[in-house]
């Protein structure tokens, strides 16, 4: 039996591959995948499991177009309410504008299961390429992308092994850099506050790098506050109040993103706390919308626009390396101390 995993990774899987892997006829595989016909539960489960393991995605393009691809580029992101990703989309759209390629967006809400379903639907339309946020995916999602036969670009992160190409920053390095700046400014009682935990893998990597740098300076986190939901000013205020009520001697608050950091800053100022003298704060992402705050929040620019542009260039064959696929592009964010870290 041929093992598709050992064939050309650009070869698209077929019904025959699933038939051989599951030990049933191609006609039966077709009936199962189209949810048609009288097939036993055991056979159905065997076929579905084989398809999922291989990464097989049925082709929804019918008739004369069946051997072609459409001029769509799938873009799979965790959120549209998060201000980070609209800027990534702007970079993608700018590059694709004169290529005849059209980005189509799927949103996962930070759910691995939802991401798997979105990737399945995207690939079933045989797009020209796929851009996916992050490097962490379910085994089935990874298998589908590895066998898709089109350029795959994972964005926002380079701390890991990409399926094909990756464009992003090192979040572990970003966390280390922020910790080093905070320690150099003399802060010692430091807390971390994060949302979308535990599924925001990039925030987790920043925290790992942050704690690594603290340990190197002989320090550890004095407290932490996690929230599994989304980011909002109100949530930032609530989390900040919880931490400072528990540990009034905290002298620095490091947030997983600027939005909750802004809420924390507003809370501290309302309480009459000396920022950055008595307590410092920092976020992440460099969101311009927050420039109107009473104090400019310390942050790091996540290179969002450039990430979108470089990813689209790879898909469209405009890469600076002159190749399509197999490329890792690392960008380097800038730490902006703003007004919330002591000079």
């Amino acid at each position: 039996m041929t093992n598709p995993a050992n064939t050309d990774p650009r070869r698209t899987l077929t019904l025959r591959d699933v038939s051989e892997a599951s030990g049933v006829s191609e006609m039966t595989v077709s009936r199962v995948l189209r949810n048609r016909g009288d097939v036993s539960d055991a056979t159905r489960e065997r076929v579905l499991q084989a398809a999922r393991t291989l990464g097989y995605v049925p082709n929804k393009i019918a008739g004369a177009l069946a051997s072609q691809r459409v001029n769509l580029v799938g873009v799979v992101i965790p959120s549209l309410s998060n201000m980070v990703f609209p800027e990534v989309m702007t970079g993608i759209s700018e590059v694709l504008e004169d290529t005849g390629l059209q980005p189509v967006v799927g949103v996962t809400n930070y759910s691995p299961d939802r991401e798997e379903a979105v990737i399945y639907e995207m690939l079933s339309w045989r797009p020209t390429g796929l851009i996916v946020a992050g490097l962490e995916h379910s085994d089935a999602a990874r298998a589908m992308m590895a066998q898709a036969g089109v350029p795959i670009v994972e964005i926002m992160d380079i701390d890991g092994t990409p399926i094909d190409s990756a464009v992003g920053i090192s979040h572990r390095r970003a966390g280390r850099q922020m910790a080093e700046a905070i320690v150099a400014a003399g802060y010692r009682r430091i807390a971390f506050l994060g949302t979308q935990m535990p599924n925001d893998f990039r925030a987790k990597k920043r925290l790992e790098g942050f704690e690594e740098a603290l340990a190197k300076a002989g320090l550890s986190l004095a407290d932490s506050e996690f929230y599994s939901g989304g980011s909002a000013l109100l949530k930032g205020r609530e989390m900040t109040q919880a931490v400072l009520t528990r540990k009034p001697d905290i002298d620095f608050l490091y947030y997983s993103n600027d939005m909750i950091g802004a809420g924390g800053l507003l809370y501290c100022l309302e309480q009459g706390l000396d920022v950055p003298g008595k307590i410092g704060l920092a976020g992440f992402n460099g969101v311009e919308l927050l420039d109107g705050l009473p104090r400019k929040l310390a942050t790091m620019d996540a290179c969002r626009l450039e990430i979108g542009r470089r990813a689209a260039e790879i898909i469209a064959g405009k890469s600076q390396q002159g190749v399509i696929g197999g490329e890792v592009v690392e960008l380097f964010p800038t730490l902006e101390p703003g007004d919330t870290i002591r000079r």
Side-chain angles (χ1 to χ4, degrees):
M1 182 180 77
T2 300
N3 180 0
N6 293 330
T7 62
D8 180 354
R10 293 289 184 208
R11 182 178 79 79
T12 303
L13 294 172
T14 66
L15 281 178
R16 176 175 292 181
D17 294 313
V18 182
S19 169
E20 291 178 351
S22 59
V24 303
S25 70
E26 290 181 44
M27 186 176 294
T28 300
V29 170
S30 178
R31 286 204 300 267
V32 169
L33 296 178
R34 289 184 294 120
N35 201 24
R36 305 270 176 83
D38 184 17
V39 180
S40 72
D41 290 343
T43 298
R44 183 179 302 279
E45 180 58 33
R46 190 160 74 247
V47 169
L48 292 175
Q49 184 58 46
R52 194 167 187 268
T53 301
L54 292 176
Y56 175 78
V57 179
N59 189 344
K60 285 188 176 177
I61 305 174
L65 287 176
S67 63
Q68 302 176 19
R69 298 201 174 275
V70 296
N71 64 338
L72 301 178
V73 175
V75 183
V76 183
I77 56 177
S79 170
L80 277 175
S81 60
N82 185 329
M83 286 180 287
V84 170
F85 293 102
E87 195 164 350
V88 173
M89 288 304 307
T90 297
I92 292 171
S93 298
E94 285 178 0
V95 171
L96 296 183
E97 188 172 359
D98 63 350
T99 66
L101 298 173
Q102 180 67 39
V104 178
V105 182
V107 180
T108 69
N109 298 320
Y110 288 93
S111 163
D113 290 341
R114 175 63 185 156
E115 181 189 67
E116 186 179 311
V118 169
I119 289 171
Y120 181 91
E121 287 300 320
M122 289 277 192
L123 291 178
S124 74
W125 290 103
R126 298 302 188 259
T128 298
L130 192 66
I131 298 172
V132 184
L135 294 168
E136 286 76 22
H137 317 283
S138 70
D139 289 344
R142 289 187 67 85
M144 284 189 284
M145 288 188 283
Q147 299 295 338
V150 297
I152 305 291
V153 185
E154 292 162 285
I155 59 170
M156 313 308 291
D157 190 6
I158 55 92
D159 290 322
T161 303
I163 293 164
D164 182 8
S165 294
V167 180
I169 67 169
S170 167
H171 287 268
R172 288 194 178 93
R173 181 182 293 117
R176 288 196 298 269
Q177 289 176 328
M178 184 60 79
E180 288 163 0
I182 292 167
V183 171
Y187 299 102
R188 293 295 180 269
R189 296 280 296 165
I190 302 162
F192 177 83
L193 301 85
T195 58
Q196 289 295 355
M197 297 300 195
N199 287 327
D200 187 342
F201 297 104
R202 294 170 290 285
K204 285 171 66 177
K205 290 174 185 178
R206 288 197 298 278
L207 177 56
E208 288 168 5
F210 190 79
E211 291 188 291
E212 181 184 307
L214 289 184
K216 194 172 181 180
L219 301 172
S220 60
L221 285 178
D223 200 5
S224 59
E225 182 79 7
F226 299 114
Y227 174 62
S228 62
S231 304
L233 287 172
L234 178 59
K235 183 49 61 178
R237 296 166 72 105
E238 291 172 353
M239 295 172 75
T240 302
Q241 181 178 17
V243 169
L244 294 182
T245 299
R246 254 191 333 260
K247 300 280 183 69
D249 61 340
I250 292 291
D251 66 3
F252 201 94
L253 299 165
Y254 179 40
Y255 299 85
S256 65
N257 63 67
D258 288 345
M259 186 58 72
I260 56 170
L265 174 60
L266 292 173
Y267 175 81
C268 289
L269 294 177
E270 282 180 4
Q271 297 302 307
L273 299 179
D274 174 10
V275 178
K278 175 176 170 52
I279 188 166
L281 304 91
F284 183 83
N285 281 325
V287 176
E288 292 180 2
L289 183 64
L290 302 181
D291 286 350
L293 289 169
R295 307 276 171 86
K296 188 169 176 59
L297 181 69
T299 187
M300 292 187 84
D301 169 27
C303 308
R304 300 179 298 280
L305 192 65
E306 185 66 10
I307 284 173
R309 286 174 177 156
R310 298 291 287 274
E313 286 172 357
I314 292 173
I315 297 291
K318 295 182 174 182
S319 167
Q320 296 173 13
Q321 303 300 318
V323 297
I324 299 178
E327 202 177 333
V328 176
V329 178
E330 179 175 2
L331 303 174
F332 298 90
T334 303
L335 195 157
E336 303 165 3
D339 304 318
T340 60
I341 295 180
R342 288 193 293 255
R343 300 283 179 167

